[in-house]
Amino acid sequence: MKIRHTVYALAAIASLIWVWSLAFDWIGAGGNILNLPSFFIDAYQSGSAAGFLTIDILVVWGAFMLWVIPDARRIGLGTKTGLTFLLLSFLGTCFA
């Protein structure tokens, strides 16, 4: 359990540094995080906004998988069900 908590903490720190370095690039280029329509238009058109969103989603998904895989094993999800769950969880994290 202690190793998993360490992994969570390291992922959070790495994500914070990596994501916000891209966010500050985007803000420095004129982006405004408080203007949500502008933010999502920039994200749609790619660039630093898309980069920091993508990285953030990947780190959140990774943390979710570290939390959920032991529970899936505990309740006996099979390989076929587990693969389907894995793919759907990534899609669900992106939509969340």
Side-chain angles (χ1 to χ4, degrees), residues 61-96:
W61 179 76
F64 178 70
M65 287 291 98
L66 286 173
W67 174 64
V68 111
I69 287 172
D71 283 342
R73 285 185 181 153
R74 183 180 55 82
I75 64 171
L77 277 180
T79 304
K80 186 176 180 182
T81 306
L83 181 59
T84 303
F85 176 78
L86 180 78
L87 296 172
L88 289 175
S89 70
F90 185 74
L91 184 62
T93 303
C94 290
F95 283 120

Side-chain angles (χ1 to χ4, degrees), residues 7-21:
V7 171
Y8 288 144
L10 291 174
I13 292 166
S15 176
L16 180 69
I17 293 167
W18 194 4
V19 167
W20 281 103
S21 69

Side-chain angles (χ1 to χ4, degrees), residues 36-77:
L36 289 180
S38 171
F39 174 77
F40 285 108
I41 288 169
D42 280 356
Y44 179 76
Q45 296 173 345
S46 290
S48 294
F52 90 81
L53 281 173
T54 301
I55 293 164
D56 202 35
I57 288 170
L58 287 172
V59 171
V60 166
W61 179 76
F64 178 70
M65 287 291 98
L66 286 173
W67 174 64
V68 111
I69 287 172
D71 283 342
R73 285 185 181 153
R74 183 180 55 82
I75 64 171
L77 277 180

